[in-house]
Amino acid sequence: MPFSQILVMRLLHFNNDGEYSLTQFFDDIPPYAILSHTWGLEEVTFKDMKKGNGISKAGFDKIRFCGEQAKRDGWQYFWVDTCCIDKSNANAVKCYVYLSDVSIKKRKATFRLSKWFTRGWTLQELIAPILVEFFSKDQELLGDKRRLERQIHEITGIPLLALRGTPLSHFNIEDRLIWAGTRQTTRGEDRAYSMLGICDTYMPLIYGEGEKNAFRRLRKELGKYII
């Protein structure tokens, strides 16, 4: 998700009674983990969490998984895009990648073909956090970014140095845009918006402007006609 300036940060908290609650922060944001995934049917929304009826939706399993995994790793707070609204995760300390189309039994065959590697927003969630762990749909750990870096490099074309945390400023803008390649987003504008963090730039998100206009504004922000 875009690493833009934020006014409010909403995080999920795994309470001692086993329930989940949303906590709002304006500053002094605590360390937190994030869930990276592809959207499916019956995702839990912000409205669902506020009303307390999200548990009945199929998407709640991913939220429960992220909360329990974060707790095991020692983090009280976690972030899931479907219900936290705010889409900035620049301060995340760890990212859990939930691959809904990868099974533990067929991991070698299905990992490379996962649709997660084809989505626009997941690019930043792969590169930005130092700690990234991949889980199968069975919620079994497949490995972390460092252990799987060779496979990830072959799938995405992203240099190993970038996957290892080398500052993005060491790579030129043209190369960073190539990493996005043919990744797709549900909304056309998001193909441009999902590159903001990778390009280390900011511009307002104007949904409805269309993909062409979004890229025109991105070119202006970058100061080059390179797209």
Side-chain angles (χ1 to χ4, degrees):
M1 307 303 169
F3 299 101
S4 57
Q5 298 174 358
I6 60 175
L7 298 176
V8 178
M9 188 71 186
R10 297 183 179 92
L11 297 175
L12 286 160
H13 182 254
F14 194 6
N15 302 321
N16 293 330
D17 58 5
E19 298 294 325
Y20 298 88
S21 61
L22 275 170
T23 304
Q24 185 168 279
F25 296 91
F26 292 92
D27 51 28
D28 295 327
I29 299 171
Y32 61 94
I34 68 171
L35 176 71
S36 181
H37 67 115
T38 54
W39 283 48
L41 299 175
E42 292 193 329
E43 295 290 358
V44 179
T45 65
F46 174 72
K47 185 177 181 180
D48 292 329
M49 292 300 297
K50 293 295 288 184
K51 289 186 175 182
N53 57 9
I55 193 171
S56 62
K57 288 191 169 184
F60 190 77
D61 286 342
K62 291 186 286 188
I63 294 176
R64 181 187 293 110
F65 156 71
C66 187
E68 292 176 348
Q69 187 62 46
K71 187 175 182 180
R72 282 192 289 269
D73 289 341
W75 310 113
Q76 288 186 320
Y77 296 95
F78 62 103
W79 180 93
V80 181
D81 61 348
T82 62
C83 56
C84 289
I85 302 300
D86 189 297
K87 293 185 176 181
S88 172
N89 51 38
N91 297 317
V93 294
K94 198 169 192 177
C95 176
Y96 305 121
V97 178
Y98 179 83
L99 303 176
S100 60
D101 51 1
V102 176
S103 66
I104 193 68
K105 293 182 180 180
K106 299 180 180 180
R107 56 186 297 177
K108 291 184 178 180
T110 55
F111 183 75
R112 292 175 177 272
L113 299 177
S114 176
K115 62 183 178 181
W116 186 86
F117 291 109
T118 71
R119 306 304 295 170
W121 287 119
T122 60
L123 178 61
Q124 293 186 69
E125 295 163 351
L126 170 63
I127 294 178
I130 296 299
L131 301 175
V132 180
E133 292 181 342
F134 293 83
F135 292 83
S136 70
K137 65 180 181 180
D138 316 294
Q139 301 181 9
E140 296 288 338
L141 179 65
L142 300 170
D144 59 24
K145 180 165 64 172
R146 190 59 185 267
R147 178 183 173 187
L148 300 170
E149 64 177 18
R150 178 59 61 178
Q151 290 175 277
I152 296 171
H153 164 69
E154 293 172 356
I155 295 168
T156 65
I158 299 171
L160 292 175
L161 288 177
L163 294 173
R164 292 171 182 171
T166 299
L168 291 179
S169 57
H170 288 231
F171 305 91
N172 62 46
I173 291 293
E174 290 90 341
D175 288 340
R176 283 180 259 173
L177 292 174
I178 288 174
W179 302 345
T182 58
R183 288 173 177 258
Q184 298 298 310
T185 56
T186 302
R187 292 182 172 183
E189 299 96 330
D190 279 336
R191 290 200 65 238
Y193 301 162
S194 64
M195 295 181 184
L196 294 176
I198 298 299
C199 296
D200 192 26
T201 191
Y202 170 79
M203 68 181 191
L205 310 188
I206 308 175
Y207 285 106
E209 67 174 324
E211 182 176 340
K212 184 177 180 180
N213 288 332
F215 272 111
R216 183 181 295 116
R217 290 198 298 122
L218 178 60
R219 286 195 294 267
K220 183 177 179 180
E221 291 297 328
L222 295 175
K224 300 176 181 178
Y225 293 91
I226 55 178
I227 301 177

